[in-house]
Amino acid sequence: MVYHVLASMPAFVCGIFTMILLFDLIQWPQRSRCIMTIFMAVATMLYLGHFVYFSRGIKILPITDTIYCTCNPLVFPLYYIYIKSLTERKLVHWQVVILVLPAIICGTMVGMAYWLTPSEDVNLFINQYLFHSPLSRGYDESGMRALVFSHNVTKTVFCLEILPIFFLGIRRINRYDKMLEQYFSSPEQKQLSWVKIMLILFVVTTVISLISFAFGRHYFIGRITKLVIPSTIYSILLFAFGYIGTKQQGIEEWKEDEEEVEMNEQSALPAGNHLCERIEKLMKEEQLYLNPQLKLKDLVMRLHSNRNYVYQAINVEMGISFADYVNRMRIAHAEKLMKEHPTMPLTEVSSRAGFASNTSFYRNFKKIRGSSPTKHKFGTSLM
């Protein structure tokens, strides 16, 4: 009983989150959530294939193994498509097709090999190749060769796609997080930090699994103590994937705000020679930087200017990102508060200076001033 619970646990977790995401998708249709729903559904089928294998469901194994060989090389491309859906306004369909095509080809090859192979050779393949049971016959039969070849191709495709997708995914997330700094004064709330962490964990656990599975999946059959570690780790990881998928927002949510700015750009005032001065004056006189949710579009609309003009003035003429520009003003305000109110807690200093979180306050203070606010506060008080 315990063994079957362990074998089915990853599939159960994926299935639960597939249903949750489907329900959310009906209420709040979103492209990224749709991709994550597909990802969790594919993971459910993948781990159902694992469950059938570990339960020795030999009669239905040709079907479940075909599904498994389709889903296994599909999970990494799907997660990369999920990252693309979070970071791109529009998905390019032919790119999506190219990403999923190898998995479809692998699944088709395995399915055709099972279908065209005589039943006795299929049983021989399952017992010898999949379960590594001793047999009096080898792989010389044509049906056996086709099955072995298609499975080896599937394994090769899966292994070859891990590192490219990892590096492409990390690069895409880093570029997106950098882009957020041009639009938001507190970009941390929208950055894809957890998506990046999950991608790293996904790759690390997969590599560990590949090393452990080098001994053969049959090594885990019927052994609770051997199965409990990979099953628990993947169940926790998949739970995190599902949970983050229900919470994470991407470019499609915040880009809707930019459409409002675009609609007003036709009536916007042209860029003057003193736009930088106008920005400085507005920010300092009205202390807009104290708003933790301040966006570039807020500044554009207050100036009755053009988004590109304001972006150009800050990023090119001032040579700084919008987030860094605003955070420098917040740090200056925080230093003023610490000087005028030496006993004020740093948490209160952080909130009154316009930072969305203490973490953001500490990180930006050290980035701009070269030391933590704690050292700065006590160093100033001793002078």
Side-chain angles (χ1 to χ4, degrees), residues 364-382:
N364 281 286
F365 199 101
K366 190 170 184 178
K367 176 183 177 182
I368 294 169
R369 294 293 183 254
S371 63
S372 70
T374 305
K375 289 182 179 179
H376 182 86
K377 180 179 179 181
F378 287 108
T380 303
S381 62
L382 291 173

Side-chain angles (χ1 to χ4, degrees), residues 7-8 11 17 21 51 78 86 93 151 159 176 181 184 225 233 283 287 289 294 303 306 309 318 330 352 354 362:
S8 63
F17 271 106
L21 287 163
F51 173 71
L78 276 178
L86 291 172
H93 295 303
H151 278 74
C159 292
Y176 176 77
E181 295 179 4
F184 298 93
T225 56
I233 290 175
M283 290 289 289
Q287 295 186 316
Y289 53 85
L294 182 68
L303 291 167
N306 181 288
Y309 294 157
M318 296 184 188
R330 289 171 176 167
R352 289 180 62 175
Y362 275 79

